[in-house]
Amino acid sequence: MKKLLICVLFLFCLTSCDKEDKKDYKKELIEYSSNLTKYSLEAQMQVVKEEGNIVFDVKVDYLQPNYYKVRLQNKANNNVQVILKNNDGVFVITPALNKQFQFNSDWPLNSSHAYLYQSIIKDITNDPDASFTTSEDSYTVTSKVDTKTNARLKSQKTTFDKKTHGLVSNTIYDATQNPVVTVNFKSFKTDNNLKASDFNADVVNNTVKLEMAEGVLDKDLNECVATFLPEGYKLSRSVIKDEYTLYTYKNNDSVYTISTIVTDVSDILTVSREFKDIILLDFGIGFVNEKSISFFQDNLFVSIYNENFNLEETTLIANSFNLN
C-alpha cells in the first residue's frame, strides 16, 4: 500500500511539473498588461560604467490610457528630472531649475526602457524567441531589446512575481552578456488613487521641488568637458567665459561643436523650445534634435552639434562628460 501511495504522489508531481512547464506565461503577461489600468512602482536603477556605476532612484506612475510620470533622481547629486506624458504631449521637467521641455515624440513605446512595465512587455511580445524559466515564486523572461541609441544593448532578463505579475528585477546585457543596466524593483502597486490632475506639469514641478533637498545644484560650476571624442577629432577652437564655454573639434570630414551655458533658476516654470525626442543618457535625460543632443549637467545646459549627426556616436560623447 505504501509503495502504491508513493507511486501516486510521484506521478502527481510529474504531472504538476509538466503543467507548470507548459503554462503560457507570455500569454498571461500580455493579457495582464492589456488590462492594466494604473500602477505605481519604485525601483533603483544602476548604470554600469568602468569609472564607477551611476545609480538612480526611479518612481513611475501610470494611468490609463496615456498618462505616464517617470521621476529619475541621480543619487550622486540628488538632481531630479521627470518625464511626463499627458493629453498635452510629452515633457521633461527639471524642477531645480524650473525648466520644462516639450517633445514631438511617441514616447514611451518608441524604444526599450528598463524601468517601464509596458516597454518590457512590448519587447517580450515582439520577440518570438523569448524564453521563460520558473522558480517557486517567480518566473524570468529573456528577450531582445529595442534600443535605438545604443547598439551594444542586446537582451534583457526580467523577473516577475508569479502571483501578481509585478516586476521584481530587470537587467539589460550587451552582446557578451555583461550587464549594462540593472533595475531592482522595490514595489509595484495597482491599488493607488491616481487621477489625471496628478500628471499636470505645474503640479509635478511644484511637488518635486518640495521633495528635493535645498542646494542640490552647484551654482558656481561653469565648465564640463567631454572625455571621449571619436578617433581623428582634434580641438580647433575654444572659448571659455564665466557664463558659457564653446569647443570646436574637427577631423578631415566633420566638425563637433560643444557648448555649455550656465542656466539661471526661473521664478516660474518656463517652457523651452520643442525637441524631436528623448533618450536616457548614463546620468540623466537627453534631448534630441535633427543634428544635436542637449542635456543638463547640474546647472549647465550642454549641447553637442554635428552637421553629419550620428545619434549613437553623439550619445557616446554625451555619456563621457565629466564636471570640472
Side-chain angles (χ1 to χ4, degrees):
M1 186 68 183
K2 261 186 190 178
K3 288 182 179 179
L4 180 61
L5 182 60
I6 291 170
C7 288
V8 170
L9 288 172
F10 180 70
L11 288 171
F12 176 77
C13 289
L14 283 178
T15 304
S16 299
C17 290
D18 186 54
K19 285 181 179 178
E20 179 72 19
D21 289 340
K22 292 180 179 178
K23 193 170 183 179
D24 194 341
Y25 285 107
K26 186 172 184 177
K27 183 179 179 181
E28 277 193 13
L29 269 177
I30 295 169
E31 288 179 356
Y32 178 79
S33 179
S34 64
N35 293 321
L36 195 58
T37 60
K38 58 183 179 178
Y39 69 80
S40 295
L41 68 79
E42 294 187 16
Q44 188 169 88
M45 178 170 66
Q46 183 171 261
V47 179
V48 180
K49 292 178 72 70
E50 288 183 8
E51 60 272 25
N53 297 342
I54 301 171
V55 180
F56 294 89
D57 284 336
V58 182
K59 293 182 179 180
V60 178
D61 290 322
Y62 165 75
L63 181 65
Q64 193 183 57
N66 59 355
Y67 293 93
Y68 291 88
K69 179 171 57 179
V70 177
R71 183 185 189 274
L72 298 166
Q73 182 167 13
N74 188 320
K75 296 287 283 183
N77 59 11
N78 288 326
N79 192 26
V80 175
Q81 288 184 289
V82 179
I83 311 174
L84 185 69
K85 183 173 185 178
N86 56 31
N87 287 335
D88 295 322
V90 179
F91 306 88
V92 171
I93 303 170
T94 303
L97 299 172
N98 245 4
K99 293 288 189 294
Q100 172 184 309
F101 297 84
Q102 188 167 3
F103 295 82
N104 181 20
S105 169
D106 58 352
W107 183 91
L109 297 182
N110 58 340
S111 184
S112 296
H113 306 286
Y115 50 82
L116 202 59
Y117 197 93
Q118 286 89 342
S119 172
I120 294 168
I121 299 300
K122 183 182 178 184
D123 285 335
I124 293 170
T125 302
N126 291 342
D127 185 0
D129 299 318
S131 61
F132 290 70
T133 59
T134 66
S135 66
E136 184 177 350
D137 300 319
S138 64
Y139 56 93
T140 299
V141 191
T142 301
S143 61
K144 296 174 184 175
V145 293
D146 177 23
T147 53
K148 295 177 174 59
T149 61
N150 194 338
R152 73 188 183 104
L153 303 182
K154 298 298 184 182
S155 65
Q156 66 186 355
K157 190 173 288 186
T158 314
T159 298
F160 297 86
D161 184 278
K162 191 177 285 187
K163 290 182 180 178
T164 66
H165 300 301
L167 290 161
V168 177
S169 65
N170 190 32
T171 303
I172 298 184
Y173 298 89
D174 62 18
T176 57
Q177 288 299 294
N178 292 313
V180 179
V181 179
T182 62
V183 185
N184 291 308
F185 295 90
K186 300 176 180 178
S187 65
F188 184 85
K189 299 176 181 177
T190 58
D191 58 350
N192 48 45
N193 295 312
L194 291 171
K195 51 191 182 298
S197 59
D198 296 327
F199 299 82
N200 176 276
D202 288 296
V203 171
V204 171
N205 181 59
N206 292 332
T207 300
V208 175
K209 279 200 296 183
L210 289 173
E211 294 172 352
M212 291 171 64
E214 293 295 324
V216 169
L217 301 182
D218 182 355
K219 300 300 185 295
D220 294 328
L221 184 71
N222 63 6
E223 187 181 8
C224 63
V225 294
T227 57
F228 164 82
L229 279 157
E231 188 175 353
Y233 282 89
K234 294 182 179 179
L235 181 65
S236 66
R237 180 175 179 242
S238 64
V239 178
I240 302 174
K241 302 288 186 180
D242 288 340
E243 67 278 10
Y244 73 91
T245 65
L246 181 70
Y247 294 98
T248 302
Y249 299 88
K250 292 183 178 180
N251 70 4
N252 292 332
D253 306 310
S254 184
V255 177
Y256 271 106
T257 302
I258 300 175
S259 66
T260 63
I261 302 172
V262 178
T263 305
D264 294 325
V265 180
S266 306
D267 293 328
I268 59 173
L269 183 63
T270 58
V271 181
S272 298
R273 64 194 177 92
E274 186 170 299
F275 286 83
K276 178 184 175 183
D277 211 345
I278 309 166
I279 60 171
L280 183 63
L281 300 171
D282 287 351
F283 48 80
I285 299 165
F287 317 138
V288 180
N289 261 343
E290 293 293 340
K291 297 180 180 180
S292 68
I293 290 178
S294 302
F295 55 90
F296 281 107
Q297 275 278 34
D298 285 357
N299 68 317
L300 296 179
F301 189 66
V302 182
S303 294
I304 308 171
Y305 175 89
N306 191 307
E307 188 68 29
N308 304 314
F309 181 73
N310 177 287
L311 179 58
E312 186 172 355
E313 182 178 84
T314 311
T315 300
L316 290 173
I317 298 172
N319 282 333
S320 78
F321 265 77
N322 283 336
L323 300 176
N324 252 358

